Short mmCIF file of all heavy atoms in Angstrom, two decimals:
data_model
loop_
_atom_site.label_atom_id
_atom_site.label_comp_id
_atom_site.label_asym_id
_atom_site.label_seq_id
_atom_site.Cartn_x
_atom_site.Cartn_y
_atom_site.Cartn_z
N VAL A 202 -10.33 -92.85 -30.44
CA VAL A 202 -10.55 -91.42 -30.12
C VAL A 202 -9.84 -91.09 -28.82
O VAL A 202 -9.99 -91.82 -27.83
CB VAL A 202 -12.05 -91.10 -30.00
CG1 VAL A 202 -12.25 -89.65 -29.62
CG2 VAL A 202 -12.74 -91.43 -31.30
N LEU A 215 -2.23 -70.21 -18.83
CA LEU A 215 -1.13 -69.72 -17.99
C LEU A 215 -1.59 -69.61 -16.55
O LEU A 215 -2.72 -69.18 -16.28
CB LEU A 215 -0.64 -68.36 -18.50
CG LEU A 215 0.00 -68.37 -19.89
CD1 LEU A 215 0.35 -66.95 -20.30
CD2 LEU A 215 1.23 -69.25 -19.90
N ARG A 220 -3.23 -62.28 -6.30
CA ARG A 220 -3.19 -60.82 -6.17
C ARG A 220 -2.43 -60.45 -4.90
O ARG A 220 -2.75 -60.92 -3.82
CB ARG A 220 -4.60 -60.27 -6.12
CG ARG A 220 -4.65 -58.75 -6.01
CD ARG A 220 -6.06 -58.23 -6.09
NE ARG A 220 -6.62 -58.54 -7.40
CZ ARG A 220 -7.87 -58.24 -7.73
NH1 ARG A 220 -8.68 -57.69 -6.84
NH2 ARG A 220 -8.32 -58.54 -8.94
N ALA A 230 -2.05 -43.62 0.83
CA ALA A 230 -3.02 -42.88 0.01
C ALA A 230 -4.07 -42.21 0.88
O ALA A 230 -4.44 -41.06 0.66
CB ALA A 230 -3.67 -43.83 -0.99
N GLY A 236 -4.49 -35.45 4.53
CA GLY A 236 -3.59 -34.30 4.66
C GLY A 236 -3.98 -33.16 3.73
O GLY A 236 -3.97 -31.98 4.11
N GLY A 249 -9.83 -16.31 6.39
CA GLY A 249 -10.86 -15.59 7.12
C GLY A 249 -10.32 -14.76 8.26
O GLY A 249 -11.05 -13.98 8.87
N GLN A 259 -5.55 11.02 3.40
CA GLN A 259 -5.13 12.30 2.83
C GLN A 259 -3.63 12.24 2.54
O GLN A 259 -2.90 11.54 3.24
CB GLN A 259 -5.41 13.46 3.79
CG GLN A 259 -6.86 13.59 4.22
CD GLN A 259 -7.04 14.61 5.34
OE1 GLN A 259 -6.12 15.35 5.68
NE2 GLN A 259 -8.23 14.67 5.91
N GLY A 262 2.87 14.84 3.29
CA GLY A 262 4.19 15.08 2.73
C GLY A 262 5.29 14.58 3.64
O GLY A 262 5.12 14.46 4.86
N GLY A 264 8.10 14.51 6.13
CA GLY A 264 8.40 15.44 7.20
C GLY A 264 7.18 16.05 7.84
O GLY A 264 7.29 16.81 8.82
N THR A 268 -2.11 13.33 11.19
CA THR A 268 -3.25 13.89 11.91
C THR A 268 -4.35 12.84 12.02
O THR A 268 -4.45 11.95 11.15
CB THR A 268 -3.81 15.13 11.20
OG1 THR A 268 -4.34 14.73 9.91
CG2 THR A 268 -2.73 16.18 11.00
N ASP A 283 4.11 -6.01 7.77
CA ASP A 283 4.35 -5.12 8.92
C ASP A 283 3.41 -3.91 8.93
O ASP A 283 3.85 -2.77 8.97
CB ASP A 283 5.82 -4.66 8.88
CG ASP A 283 6.24 -3.97 10.17
OD1 ASP A 283 5.66 -4.29 11.23
OD2 ASP A 283 7.12 -3.10 10.12
N TRP A 287 -4.42 -0.53 14.14
CA TRP A 287 -5.27 0.62 14.48
C TRP A 287 -5.12 1.00 15.95
O TRP A 287 -5.27 2.17 16.32
CB TRP A 287 -6.72 0.29 14.15
CG TRP A 287 -7.70 1.36 14.51
CD1 TRP A 287 -8.64 1.32 15.49
CD2 TRP A 287 -7.84 2.64 13.88
NE1 TRP A 287 -9.35 2.50 15.52
CE2 TRP A 287 -8.88 3.33 14.54
CE3 TRP A 287 -7.17 3.27 12.83
CZ2 TRP A 287 -9.29 4.61 14.19
CZ3 TRP A 287 -7.57 4.56 12.47
CH2 TRP A 287 -8.61 5.21 13.14
N PHE A 291 -2.71 6.36 18.25
CA PHE A 291 -2.35 7.49 19.11
C PHE A 291 -0.85 7.76 19.08
O PHE A 291 -0.41 8.89 19.27
CB PHE A 291 -2.83 7.23 20.54
CG PHE A 291 -4.33 7.06 20.66
CD1 PHE A 291 -4.88 5.83 20.97
CD2 PHE A 291 -5.18 8.13 20.41
CE1 PHE A 291 -6.25 5.67 21.06
CE2 PHE A 291 -6.56 7.97 20.49
CZ PHE A 291 -7.09 6.74 20.82
N ALA A 298 5.76 11.72 8.72
CA ALA A 298 5.94 10.86 7.55
C ALA A 298 7.40 10.85 7.11
O ALA A 298 8.01 11.91 6.95
CB ALA A 298 5.04 11.34 6.41
N ILE A 302 3.22 10.18 1.48
CA ILE A 302 2.26 9.07 1.52
C ILE A 302 0.98 9.53 0.83
O ILE A 302 0.39 10.54 1.19
CB ILE A 302 1.96 8.64 2.97
CG1 ILE A 302 3.27 8.28 3.68
CG2 ILE A 302 0.99 7.48 2.99
CD1 ILE A 302 3.09 7.99 5.15
N MET A 312 7.17 3.79 7.45
CA MET A 312 6.71 5.03 6.83
C MET A 312 6.70 6.22 7.79
O MET A 312 6.47 7.35 7.37
CB MET A 312 5.30 4.85 6.26
CG MET A 312 5.21 3.89 5.10
SD MET A 312 3.51 3.75 4.48
CE MET A 312 3.73 2.51 3.19
N SER A 317 10.60 15.30 12.54
CA SER A 317 10.30 15.79 11.20
C SER A 317 11.57 16.14 10.46
O SER A 317 12.51 16.71 11.03
CB SER A 317 9.39 17.02 11.28
OG SER A 317 9.24 17.61 10.02
N VAL A 321 13.07 21.48 11.33
CA VAL A 321 14.39 21.34 11.93
C VAL A 321 15.02 22.73 12.03
O VAL A 321 14.52 23.70 11.44
CB VAL A 321 15.28 20.42 11.07
CG1 VAL A 321 14.73 19.00 11.07
CG2 VAL A 321 15.39 20.93 9.64
N PRO A 337 -2.87 28.22 -7.10
CA PRO A 337 -3.52 27.34 -8.09
C PRO A 337 -4.72 26.62 -7.48
O PRO A 337 -4.80 26.42 -6.27
CB PRO A 337 -2.41 26.34 -8.45
CG PRO A 337 -1.59 26.27 -7.20
CD PRO A 337 -1.61 27.63 -6.59
N VAL A 351 5.77 38.68 -6.62
CA VAL A 351 5.12 39.27 -7.80
C VAL A 351 4.91 40.75 -7.53
O VAL A 351 3.98 41.13 -6.80
CB VAL A 351 3.77 38.57 -8.10
CG1 VAL A 351 3.16 39.15 -9.37
CG2 VAL A 351 3.95 37.07 -8.23
N GLN A 365 12.14 27.82 -3.31
CA GLN A 365 12.08 26.92 -4.46
C GLN A 365 11.12 25.76 -4.24
O GLN A 365 10.38 25.37 -5.14
CB GLN A 365 13.48 26.38 -4.77
CG GLN A 365 13.54 25.48 -5.99
CD GLN A 365 13.18 26.20 -7.27
OE1 GLN A 365 13.56 27.36 -7.47
NE2 GLN A 365 12.43 25.55 -8.15
N SER A 371 -0.55 23.59 6.00
CA SER A 371 -2.00 23.65 6.19
C SER A 371 -2.61 24.60 5.18
O SER A 371 -1.95 25.51 4.66
CB SER A 371 -2.35 24.11 7.61
OG SER A 371 -1.90 25.45 7.82
N VAL A 386 3.28 27.67 5.12
CA VAL A 386 4.34 26.97 4.40
C VAL A 386 5.59 26.93 5.25
O VAL A 386 5.83 27.81 6.09
CB VAL A 386 4.64 27.63 3.03
CG1 VAL A 386 3.45 27.49 2.10
CG2 VAL A 386 5.03 29.09 3.21
N ILE A 405 2.80 38.30 -3.06
CA ILE A 405 3.27 36.92 -3.01
C ILE A 405 2.27 36.02 -3.73
O ILE A 405 1.05 36.17 -3.59
CB ILE A 405 3.44 36.43 -1.56
CG1 ILE A 405 4.65 37.09 -0.91
CG2 ILE A 405 3.60 34.91 -1.51
CD1 ILE A 405 5.99 36.65 -1.48
N ALA A 408 3.18 28.69 -6.64
CA ALA A 408 2.99 27.82 -7.80
C ALA A 408 3.13 26.38 -7.34
O ALA A 408 4.13 26.03 -6.68
CB ALA A 408 4.02 28.13 -8.88
#
Side-chain angles (χ1 to χ4, degrees):
V202 178
L215 295 177
R220 181 175 297 177
Q259 303 171 9
T268 65
D283 192 28
W287 177 249
F291 300 111
I302 304 174
M312 293 181 182
S317 172
V321 294
V351 183
Q365 182 64 39
S371 65
V386 294
I405 288 291

